[in-house]
C-alpha cells in the first residue's frame, strides 16, 4: 500500500500493480467498493499481466485505507483525489470506472481538473435519463447524510440500496441476510460521496451534447447484454452526446461482471495504439 495526499489534505491509499510499459490506468470502484474486493484485484492483475498496464487500484475517500472528509461530500474533492493519483504516476493515465465510479471518471475527464487523462472506460454509468425508471426521492441526500451522521451504517446501506439505487426490497432483504451485508455496512459511510457524484444525473433528465463537449478524450462505454435496460440507457445516451465515444455491448455480461469478462474489452481498448 502507498498513499498520496489530495488537495484538501485527505490521504488516499492505493496499490500499484504492473510495469506500465503500455501505460497507466486508474481503477475507480462504485458504491460500497474498495480496492481489496477480490474481483477488483483480479481485474487489476489481469490488466497488468495480460496487457502490460500499470494499474493504480485505490480506495476512494471514506473507504478502505483512505481517509474521509466527514460531512463534506463534493464530487470536486474526488476529482482532486484522481488528480493527485495521476500526478504521482507521472501525469498521464486512463480512467476506468464502474457504477458511480464510471460517472466519476467521466466527470473528471470533462472537468479539465485532471490533466493527462488519456482515455476513459465506463461500465454502465448509472445515469437516469428516463423519468419512468427509478428516480431517488428529492430528499434522498439529506436522509442519507442524516443516517451517516448518526452512525446508522446499516440504515445508510439499506437506504442507499433501496431508495437511491432502486434495488427491490426483496433483493435488498436477501442481501441483508447474506455474507455480503457486513461489507456493505462497513463502507456505508462512503455512499454520501457516491450520491454527490450521481445526484445531478439521477433525475430522469436527458443529457445535452453541449454539456459534454469538453470531454475530448476517447471514451469506451460498456454495457452488459444481460443487464436490465434501465441500467444501460444512461451509457447509450452518453455515448450519443460525447465527442469521441464508442459503445460496446458484452453479450453474456450482467451488471455484476467478473474480471475475466471485462478485462479483454478494457485492455484491448487501452492498448489499441500499440
Amino acid at each position: 500500500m502507498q498513499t498520496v495526499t489530495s488537495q484538501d489534505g485527505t490521504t488516499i491509499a492505493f496499490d500499484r500493480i504492473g510495469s506500465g510499459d503500455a501505460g497507466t490506468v486508474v481503477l475507480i470502484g462504485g458504491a460500497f467498493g474498495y480496492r481489496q474486493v477480490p474481483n477488483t484485484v483480479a481485474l487489476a492483475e489481469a490488466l497488468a499481466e495480460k496487457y502490460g498496464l500499470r494499474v493504480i487500484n485505490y480506495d476512494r475517500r471514506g473507504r478502505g485505507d483512505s481517509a474521509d472528509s466527514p460531512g463534506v461530500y463534493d464530487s470536486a474533492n474526488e476529482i482532486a483525489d484522481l488528480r493527485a493519483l495521476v500526478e504521482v504516476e507521472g501525469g498521464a493515465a486512463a480512467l476506468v470506472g464502474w457504477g458511480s465510479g464510471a460517472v466519476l471518471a467521466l466527470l473528471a475527464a470533462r472537468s479539465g481538473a485532471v490533466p493527462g487523462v488519456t482515455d476513459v472506460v465506463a461500465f454502465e454509468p448509472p445515469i437516469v435519463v428516463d423519468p419512468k425508471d427509478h428516480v431517488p426521492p428529492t430528499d434522498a441526500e439529506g436522509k442519507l447524510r442524516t443516517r451517516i451522521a448518526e452512525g446508522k451504517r446499516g440504515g445508510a446501506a439499506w437506504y442507499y440500496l433501496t431508495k437511491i439505487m432502486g434495488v427491490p426490497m426483496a433483493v435488498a432483504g436477501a442481501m441483508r441476510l447474506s455474507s455480503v451485508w457486513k461489507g456493505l455496512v462497513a463502507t456505508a459511510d462512503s455512499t454520501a460521496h457516491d450520491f454527490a457524484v450521481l445526484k445531478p444525473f439521477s433525475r430522469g433528465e436527458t443529457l445535452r451534447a453541449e454539456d459534454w463537449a469538453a470531454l475530448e478524450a476517447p471514451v469506451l462505454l460498456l454495457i452488459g447484454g444481460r443487464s436490465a435496460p434501465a441500467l444501460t440507457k444512461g451509457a447509450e445516451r452518453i455515448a450519443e452526446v460525447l465527442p469521441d465515444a464508442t459503445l460496446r455491448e458484452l453479450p453474456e455480461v450482467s451488471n455484476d461482471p467478473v474480471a475475466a469478462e471485462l478485462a479483454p474489452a478494457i485492455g484491448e481498448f487501452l492498448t489499441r495504439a500499440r
Side-chain angles (χ1 to χ4, degrees):
M1 185 188 81
Q2 300 186 56
T3 63
V4 66
T5 302
S6 192
Q7 180 177 305
D8 67 346
T10 300
T11 300
I12 303 298
F14 69 97
D15 296 323
R16 183 186 295 115
I17 303 98
S19 63
D21 294 338
T24 300
V25 55
V26 180
L27 299 185
I28 312 173
F32 302 106
Y34 53 99
R35 80 182 198 284
Q36 293 181 340
V37 171
N39 197 36
T40 302
V41 174
L43 177 60
E45 292 176 345
L47 293 175
E49 294 171 5
K50 297 180 181 180
Y51 297 95
L53 293 161
R54 177 190 292 118
V55 183
I56 304 305
N57 183 18
Y58 83 108
D59 285 323
R60 288 173 60 184
R61 62 172 57 204
R63 60 193 86 186
D65 291 306
S66 288
D68 200 0
S69 50
V72 179
Y73 308 107
D74 188 332
S75 61
N77 286 331
E78 290 217 83
I79 291 172
D81 299 345
L82 287 169
R83 175 171 183 154
L85 289 164
V86 172
E87 287 180 344
V88 81
E89 290 305 310
L95 306 179
V96 174
W98 51 94
S100 65
V103 180
L104 178 56
L106 293 166
L107 290 178
R110 184 184 74 171
S111 71
V114 188
V117 175
T118 58
D119 300 278
V120 177
V121 181
F123 177 75
E124 295 187 356
I127 296 172
V128 184
V129 294
D130 187 343
K132 296 178 182 178
D133 292 328
H134 176 78
V135 175
T138 56
D139 60 352
E141 186 172 46
K143 288 189 173 181
L144 176 65
R145 292 187 181 189
T146 295
R147 285 164 171 76
I148 292 170
E150 293 176 349
K152 298 176 180 178
R153 289 186 172 183
W158 179 263
Y159 190 84
Y160 194 88
L161 287 170
T162 59
K163 298 299 184 180
I164 294 178
M165 293 180 66
V167 174
M169 291 284 189
V171 175
M175 295 172 70
R176 188 158 59 180
L177 296 174
S178 74
S179 59
V180 305
W181 186 249
K182 182 178 179 181
L184 299 182
V185 172
T187 55
D189 286 359
S190 66
T191 57
H193 293 295
D194 294 287
F195 195 54
V197 171
L198 296 179
K199 183 181 177 181
F201 309 102
S202 302
R203 301 167 180 154
E205 301 171 349
T206 190
L207 302 176
R208 304 184 305 171
E210 55 266 36
D211 292 336
W212 293 91
L215 205 174
E216 298 179 351
V219 178
L220 174 65
L221 278 301
L222 296 174
I223 57 176
R226 293 185 176 181
S227 295
L231 294 173
T232 62
K233 290 178 184 177
E236 292 171 343
R237 177 57 185 154
I238 201 163
E240 295 173 351
V241 303
L242 288 175
D244 185 0
T246 301
L247 179 68
R248 179 176 175 181
E249 180 181 292
L250 305 177
E252 301 303 315
V253 172
S254 70
N255 185 246
D256 188 23
V258 298
E261 295 172 327
L262 287 184
I266 297 171
E268 290 164 13
F269 179 73
L270 296 183
T271 59
R272 63 197 182 281
R274 185 185 64 176

